[in-house]
Amino acid sequence: MRHFAPSRLRATISSGLIRSTTPKPKTLSPFTAISRSTTNNITNNKPSVTFTSNIHTSSSKMSSTQISANAVLDLIKQRRTYYPLSKDLGSLTTERINEIVKEALQHVPSSFNSQSNRVVVLLGAEHEKLWDITTETLKAIVPEDSFASTAGKMAMFKGAAGTILFFEDETVVKGMQEQFAVYADRFPVWAVQSDAMLQHTLWVALEAEGLGANLQHYNPLIDAKVAETWSIPESWKLNAQLVFGGKTGDAGEKAFGPVEEKFKSFGSA
């Protein structure tokens, strides 16, 4: 069977054949995530600046400023896992953090433009509450004689400035499975891939702003309590938690396998 690019396909089955037509634009909420902090800073302002500190764009008109692939790759190389993190965000404000997250959420690609990604930003006391919840959840299942190290790790995460929670909206995924049944088994995979792109984009964006981060996965252990605490819709499935804050030291050494074992190229330009 011929494979059509997901972003351009509207598959219908007629007389045993798959036909493709250009899909009509989907009407989806552009930003349904919740952002809360100790000062309850939720901004409804239209995003106006992208996450790169030296490249400015607007929501309706892209800047003509040109950057090289090397500049992007340098940021990707600089993105590392940092432990521990501090509450020092420098000059970065709650509004700016929310702006960065919303811009990334809007522009990271998804299969068929399904836009299944959802995000919650937690700052200040709300961030600390998340790690108190995680500590209490783990305390109930980790043996008492080995809980001290777990408690220390939770305290380390709590000591950071904030956490970004990544979700996928299962209602969206199921809707795409029903609409394009021929690819039903692939949509959950594609949704996870899109979420991973968003996680990486925001991790790199925070690095561009001088912050450190580390990615955690305490789901599904904390899912129910998170949903209850922050009124998360039932259809939002938690995938990851990106802890961020000020860097307190250097990242550890990172080993790389030979690129020749991981890369192939054929033909020439």
Side-chain angles (χ1 to χ4, degrees), residues 102-175:
K102 287 191 284 188
E103 285 281 83
L105 181 59
Q106 287 292 78
H107 296 288
V108 161
S110 58
S111 63
F112 289 67
N113 194 31
S114 55
Q115 301 176 50
S116 57
N117 292 321
R118 302 290 184 264
V119 174
V120 172
V121 177
L122 301 175
L123 293 162
E126 300 297 318
H127 156 78
E128 294 183 355
K129 188 186 298 182
L130 171 71
W131 295 105
D132 286 340
I133 288 170
T134 308
T135 301
E136 290 303 310
T137 301
L138 294 175
K139 190 174 183 180
I141 60 176
V142 175
E144 186 177 354
D145 58 357
S146 58
F147 184 69
S149 61
T150 298
K153 185 181 294 185
M154 296 301 104
M156 178 179 67
F157 296 144
K158 184 177 178 178
T163 304
I164 302 173
L165 305 180
F166 296 90
F167 302 80
E168 68 179 67
D169 192 334
E170 293 184 301
T171 298
V172 174
V173 176
K174 290 176 182 176

Side-chain angles (χ1 to χ4, degrees), residues 48-265:
S48 58
V49 187
T50 57
F51 57 75
T52 44
S53 17
N54 61 340
I55 304 166
H56 299 277
T57 70
S58 69
S59 296
S60 59
K61 183 179 181 180
M62 294 296 293
S63 168
S64 60
T65 303
Q66 298 295 314
I67 62 172
S68 69
N70 283 343
V72 177
L73 290 171
D74 284 343
L75 278 176
I76 292 173
K77 292 175 185 177
Q78 291 168 24
R79 181 226 54 82
R80 297 292 308 280
T81 295
Y82 286 92
Y83 301 109
L85 298 166
S86 75
K87 296 188 181 298
D88 183 11
L89 294 175
S91 61
L92 210 60
T93 64
T94 298
E95 289 76 12
R96 176 60 174 154
I97 292 170
N98 288 343
E99 180 181 57
I100 290 169
V101 173
K102 287 191 284 188
E103 285 281 83
L105 181 59
Q106 287 292 78
H107 296 288
V108 161
S110 58
S111 63
F112 289 67
N113 194 31
S114 55
Q115 301 176 50
S116 57
N117 292 321
R118 302 290 184 264
V119 174
V120 172
V121 177
L122 301 175
L123 293 162
E126 300 297 318
H127 156 78
E128 294 183 355
K129 188 186 298 182
L130 171 71
W131 295 105
D132 286 340
I133 288 170
T134 308
T135 301
E136 290 303 310
T137 301
L138 294 175
K139 190 174 183 180
I141 60 176
V142 175
E144 186 177 354
D145 58 357
S146 58
F147 184 69
S149 61
T150 298
K153 185 181 294 185
M154 296 301 104
M156 178 179 67
F157 296 144
K158 184 177 178 178
T163 304
I164 302 173
L165 305 180
F166 296 90
F167 302 80
E168 68 179 67
D169 192 334
E170 293 184 301
T171 298
V172 174
V173 176
K174 290 176 182 176
M176 299 305 291
Q177 288 176 307
E178 293 170 1
Q179 188 176 1
F180 303 104
V182 70
Y183 289 127
D185 64 327
R186 305 309 300 158
F187 279 108
V189 177
W190 291 336
V192 170
Q193 290 172 347
S194 180
D195 190 24
M197 285 189 279
L198 179 60
Q199 293 169 28
H200 184 258
T201 296
L202 285 173
W203 201 341
V204 172
L206 292 172
E207 174 66 40
E209 295 288 348
L211 300 182
N214 55 76
L215 191 66
Q216 304 303 318
H217 302 87
Y218 285 96
N219 45 288
L221 293 174
I222 62 174
D223 289 18
K225 194 64 178 178
V226 166
E228 175 188 347
T229 304
W230 289 285
S231 302
I232 303 300
E234 187 177 350
S235 64
W236 291 21
K237 184 178 74 173
L238 182 61
N239 284 335
Q241 306 86 50
L242 185 65
V243 184
F244 64 92
K247 297 175 183 176
T248 61
D250 296 330
E253 291 295 324
K254 185 175 182 178
F256 297 91
V259 70
E260 293 77 14
E261 296 178 3
K262 301 178 281 187
F263 173 79
K264 294 182 184 297
S265 179

